[in-house]
Amino acid sequence: MRVYITTPIYYPNDKPHIGSLYTVVLADFLTKLSKIMGYEAYMLTGLDEHGYKIYRSAKELGKSPLEFVDEMQKYFRESWERFQVDYFRFIRTSDKQHEDVVKYAIEMLYEKGYIYKGKYAGHYCVKCEAFYPTSKLIKEDNKYLCPIHNKEVEFLDEETYYLKISEFKDWIKSFIISNKSFITPKGYRNEAISYINELGDLSIARPRERVPWAVEVPFDKDFTVYVWIDALLNYLSAIGWPDDTYKDFWPATHIIGKDILKFHTVVWPILLKMLDMEPPRRVIVHGFWTVKGLKIGKSVKDVIDITKLYVDSLDNVDAYRYYLMRNAPIEKDSELSLDGVYRVYNDELADIIGNGFRRVTTLAMKKSVVRGRVDPEVLEKIRNIIKDLNGVYSKFLPSQYVILTLKVFKQLNEYLQEKQPWKNRDENILYNALFIAKIGLTMLYPILPETSKKAMNIIGTPLKPLKYVFLEESFYVRESPILFPKIRD
Ligand code: ME8
């Protein structure tokens, strides 16, 4: 089976921060986990480069929008590379091929009679690139503030084109209700349904004179396409739609933050339906990382610039990946704490994983090769620990997955403690310890790819899907490094 996983495409009006990293890390975790579960997995990420927000940021810096996004994109690419993110395509909405797909889709919607001209008057948050009904805004000193960014919204009164999404209200409601696995975690299903009740038609065009940096509406050159419609279509243009190649990938599994739930679970499936496309397979939603309760982001002061983070603080990207997955139940918001990163680094990465690995490799490197048979008792214990793996995968429970992996390493340490291979020279004990380490290191791959690959290399076994990991093989160990030197103890 092929799995097509996407992240949202990021607004490159600032460098990536730890909130942006979170969505990418979760998507990469799912991609790598799918691979070790034996699936073919492809992950898409990229940048949402059009729209008023980018246009305005570029203008403030005295740059052209294209010059600005060309400069910004390298921060995202470099960061994702540094964090070992595995994507098959990095899409930019200013790619000509993508722009052509947007025009094609808008033309198709127009010909099908789903688009009509009208006027829009309402409050607009530039940071969200979205209109808000007055009832959803925060009123403060006679000003209206965006509920997400806490910043004053703008009042716009202009001509536009509308997409008749309200015609599909009943359809989307019954789709969400009857497809229980469409939205994960399930708590977000009710929230999605609550958006449907108040759903009106969607304004999908902007006057070109206000937003010139966007795709032109193909049937009216005085307008440009609303940035969210442009952005959502990236999930199709990246896989070649409307050419048949898209069929090798679609339907997608989207990973998103909770702030963009409505666009992905209500607007997007309706847009797809209008284009005669199947809805996404699944939308996985996560909460926010906060600092003092506020969402970390470009608009909150405490921006955690990840391009500096791993250099200034703890120079180990795997430790951040681990912390993000270990500490955050995805259905809730989590408060970021660098002390928390140090704590899991010392207590779990160094003391449990690193320690187990170091102990077993110190003994094994004294032998040119370690051969043996897996003890049925060891096998049973391991199988017992990972028996919930399929459920953890299908329900998407990253922190539970981290705990299962940690249990394998705890088992390794217990086994070493019990059998004391440094006293008892039975090679089979060492073999079994290396076998447990091999399972643990394979499971570590989606969490700590850099460490997992390095450590697998040291014990002389290549990374492979979990179903082959149980096959017996010899180990050739040449070194015994400290994977996670302790910090600030
Ligand atoms: O929304 N904690 O882009 P974006 C957790 N371009 N996640 C966070 C976060 C935080 N503090 N801050 C941001 C957009 N995110 C659109 C998407 S897709 C067709 C278009 C997450 O750069 C956020 O929830 O504002 C979202 O999932 C992602 O970062 C991109 O946010």
Side-chain angles (χ1 to χ4, degrees), residues 156-267:
L156 296 177
D157 184 358
E158 58 193 25
E159 285 205 305
T160 188
Y161 282 93
Y162 280 100
L163 189 64
K164 295 181 181 171
I165 58 172
S166 59
E167 280 187 9
F168 290 84
K169 266 172 138 161
D170 293 343
W171 172 78
I172 186 66
K173 197 167 187 171
S174 66
F175 174 76
I176 293 175
I177 291 170
S178 55
N179 288 279
K180 301 258 184 287
S181 60
F182 175 56
I183 302 175
T184 313
K186 60 179 187 303
Y188 290 109
R189 289 175 59 217
N190 285 343
E191 192 178 331
I193 290 169
S194 74
Y195 291 128
I196 301 172
N197 298 334
E198 58 194 38
L199 197 68
D201 288 343
L202 180 71
S203 158
I204 57 149
R206 300 289 178 261
R208 176 195 283 278
E209 59 191 28
R210 188 171 68 82
V211 192
W213 172 241
V215 179
E216 182 178 294
V217 169
F219 51 83
D220 188 339
K221 63 178 175 21
D222 289 339
F223 288 86
T224 53
V225 177
Y226 175 36
V227 66
W228 260 102
I229 298 296
D230 173 353
L232 287 165
L233 286 164
N234 95 88
Y235 300 134
L236 289 184
S237 64
I239 51 171
W241 183 85
D243 288 348
D244 275 355
T245 50
Y246 82 85
K247 292 184 180 154
D248 293 339
F249 295 86
W250 199 255
T253 295
H254 300 305
I255 305 215
I256 60 159
K258 65 178 184 180
D259 50 337
I260 52 178
L261 180 73
K262 178 179 167 189
F263 282 109
H264 283 83
T265 57
V266 179
V267 175

Side-chain angles (χ1 to χ4, degrees), residues 23-240:
T23 323
V24 165
V25 161
L26 288 180
D28 185 57
F29 162 76
L30 182 59
T31 308
K32 289 186 165 71
L33 179 56
S34 301
K35 286 183 182 167
I36 65 164
M37 298 288 285
Y39 303 115
E40 235 186 289
Y42 294 88
M43 175 187 150
L44 171 73
T45 190
L47 298 178
D48 191 352
E49 297 187 339
H50 289 134
Y52 187 56
K53 172 149 88 176
I54 302 292
Y55 175 68
R56 202 170 62 172
S57 301
K59 223 170 156 185
E60 278 166 11
L61 294 169
K63 295 185 177 164
S64 78
L66 190 59
E67 201 184 347
F68 175 59
V69 292
D70 273 350
E71 275 170 26
M72 294 307 292
Q73 57 103 22
K74 69 171 188 293
Y75 293 112
F76 286 83
R77 283 187 199 266
E78 280 168 13
S79 297
W80 297 170
E81 198 177 310
R82 182 80 184 92
F83 279 88
Q84 306 269 316
V85 176
D86 233 346
Y87 50 80
F88 80 100
R89 183 165 172 194
F90 186 95
I91 191 166
R92 297 176 58 187
T93 51
S94 63
D95 291 347
K96 166 124 186 7
Q97 180 255 344
H98 169 78
E99 291 185 348
D100 288 346
V101 166
V102 174
K103 286 183 190 156
Y104 176 86
I106 295 289
E107 191 85 61
M108 186 169 164
L109 295 167
Y110 189 61
E111 277 167 16
K112 284 180 161 221
Y114 289 131
I115 294 180
Y116 64 94
K117 199 164 186 179
K119 275 192 86 99
Y120 193 95
H123 299 283
Y124 193 76
C125 171
V126 177
K127 289 182 186 292
C128 292
E129 289 277 20
F131 282 110
Y132 278 99
T134 316
S135 61
K136 292 269 182 271
L137 297 170
I138 304 165
K139 195 161 183 203
E140 210 177 270
D141 300 337
N142 277 334
K143 284 183 192 156
Y144 286 108
L145 310 182
C146 161
I148 292 178
H149 294 98
N150 232 18
K151 290 271 148 81
E152 191 174 1
V153 291
E154 295 177 14
F155 190 80
L156 296 177
D157 184 358
E158 58 193 25
E159 285 205 305
T160 188
Y161 282 93
Y162 280 100
L163 189 64
K164 295 181 181 171
I165 58 172
S166 59
E167 280 187 9
F168 290 84
K169 266 172 138 161
D170 293 343
W171 172 78
I172 186 66
K173 197 167 187 171
S174 66
F175 174 76
I176 293 175
I177 291 170
S178 55
N179 288 279
K180 301 258 184 287
S181 60
F182 175 56
I183 302 175
T184 313
K186 60 179 187 303
Y188 290 109
R189 289 175 59 217
N190 285 343
E191 192 178 331
I193 290 169
S194 74
Y195 291 128
I196 301 172
N197 298 334
E198 58 194 38
L199 197 68
D201 288 343
L202 180 71
S203 158
I204 57 149
R206 300 289 178 261
R208 176 195 283 278
E209 59 191 28
R210 188 171 68 82
V211 192
W213 172 241
V215 179
E216 182 178 294
V217 169
F219 51 83
D220 188 339
K221 63 178 175 21
D222 289 339
F223 288 86
T224 53
V225 177
Y226 175 36
V227 66
W228 260 102
I229 298 296
D230 173 353
L232 287 165
L233 286 164
N234 95 88
Y235 300 134
L236 289 184
S237 64
I239 51 171

Side-chain angles (χ1 to χ4, degrees), residues 266-282:
V266 179
V267 175
W268 180 225
I270 295 178
L271 184 58
L272 287 163
K273 177 130 184 96
M274 289 173 165
L275 297 171
D276 302 319
M277 291 286 294
E278 244 184 278
R281 170 170 295 139
R282 201 171 177 198

Side-chain angles (χ1 to χ4, degrees), residues 7-13 17-23 48 53 76 127 228 231-235 255-260 264 286-290 294-298:
T7 72
I9 47 172
Y10 294 89
Y11 291 126
N13 60 323
H17 55 82
I18 206 148
S20 353
L21 178 68
Y22 186 47
T23 323
D48 191 352
K53 172 149 88 176
F76 286 83
K127 289 182 186 292
W228 260 102
L232 287 165
L233 286 164
N234 95 88
Y235 300 134
I255 305 215
I256 60 159
K258 65 178 184 180
D259 50 337
I260 52 178
H264 283 83
H286 64 74
F288 293 151
W289 282 93
T290 57
L294 289 176
K295 179 190 178 206
I296 300 169
K298 293 144 200 165

